[in-house]
Amino acid sequence: MIKLSDLGEFGLIKRFSQQFLQDLPGEITGIGDDCAIIPLNNKEALLYTTDMLIEDRHFVRDKITSYDLGQKSLAVNLSDIAAMGGNPKSAYLSIGIPANIELEWLDEFFRGIKDLCLQTRTYLLGGDTTKSPESLIINIGVIGIAKLSKIKRRSTAHPGDIICITDVVGDSGGGLKILLNNLPLDNDAVYLVGRHNCPKAQIEEGKWFSEREEVNAMIDVSDGIESDIHRLMESSNVGAEIEINTVPISKILRKLSEKYNWNVHEIALSGGEDYCLMLTIPEEYVDGIISKYEIKFKKPLYKIGKITGLTGKLTFIKDGKIIDFNKHGFDHFK
Ligand code: ADP
Ligand code: MG
């Protein structure tokens, strides 16, 4: 008998999703990408995404301010809208509140959400409020709008494409290690914890890439490069090669990894919750896009590998040699 833990989060989604995908009208994109896509007419589409955060699973209440938790709960959804090149419009918050939460805590939580709504011109339009027996449960859904012909998907990467990411990775995973191990909060540690507790959705970057026809595929990095490249490979029916030495890592993460003897590559590849964007661009266009991106955003776009025709095969290369790296990103059932 197959157990849930054998299937894992993604195996489970695959198991139930087929029956819902099979009779979808052709123009609708359902389960499988960062957002669902519902065309409104022949020019525009609605994007929808939702994410749940459960206390002691996704956050520990005394390790994050309620203001930051409010912002993070919204930001992780905005990141999925960014991954398709959309513009967020509205948010819907359902919250299950245990008895031991103070009113002041909730006021700050909502202030965090409100500030990010203002910054991103997203309107909180509804939700649901209930009591929860023990844990705080937060679910936000976000609706975005996109030009139908400009939407970027996970499923359209091509062999030969260069894989790029928009930020250093692993800071958030390092921040989580600091929190879980109660390590001293010096300036470097505080920086990494900030990167874990306050991720920024890359909405402007996502929209900019959506305007570039040369970009073939895009996904946001929520579970870690190693896990999210698998999602992209599966959807696009391709393989990938990641050159470990080109994966960008911050100086601060390197420094603390040395100090605490962490495997910095493992954190960078599978720490998760980076919320940057990963995209694939044909080799002939990649340098052109990188220089335009750097002029526009005043920061680098990093090449980390290549899409291959070897369906389902992910290879890691370090110092010219293939290496075995099988630490997987976060999976809720494994
Ligand atoms: P992301 O990390 O971008 O939020 P996930 O990897 O969590 O996406 O989910 C993969 C796909 O499965 C998405 O299209 C998501 O909407 C869908 N999905 C996940 N859980 C469920 C569920 N319980 N019911 C329907 N669709 C789901
Ligand atoms: Mg996503």
Side-chain angles (χ1 to χ4, degrees), residues 9-10 13 16 31-34 51 80 154 220 222 231:
E9 181 184 345
F10 298 102
I13 294 172
F16 71 71
I31 298 171
D33 216 314
D34 290 298
D51 252 311
D80 279 324
R154 297 177 181 184
D220 69 323
S222 52
R231 310 277 90 74

Side-chain angles (χ1 to χ4, degrees), residues 157-161 163 229-230 232-242 306-317 322:
H158 297 303
D161 284 0
I163 306 164
I229 192 72
H230 269 113
L232 190 129
M233 281 161 44
E234 240 167 69
S235 304
S236 295
N237 256 312
V238 293
E241 252 174 40
I242 305 268
K306 203 177 209 174
I307 297 294
T308 70
L310 300 171
T311 305
K313 185 158 176 59
L314 176 61
T315 309
F316 289 99
I317 297 172
I322 294 179

Side-chain angles (χ1 to χ4, degrees), residues 78 154 191 251 271 298:
L78 297 176
R154 297 177 181 184
Y191 175 80
K251 278 199 185 108
K298 315 264 182 295

Side-chain angles (χ1 to χ4, degrees), residues 165-173 195 221 224-225 247-250 253 264-265 267-272 274-276 302 304:
I165 55 175
T166 55
D167 200 358
V168 296
V169 281
D171 282 356
S172 173
R195 297 271 285 165
V221 182
I225 292 181
V247 172
I249 295 171
S250 72
L253 180 64
V264 71
H265 294 300
I267 299 175
L269 291 168
S270 62
D274 304 291
Y275 298 107
C276 61
Y302 306 90
I304 60 162

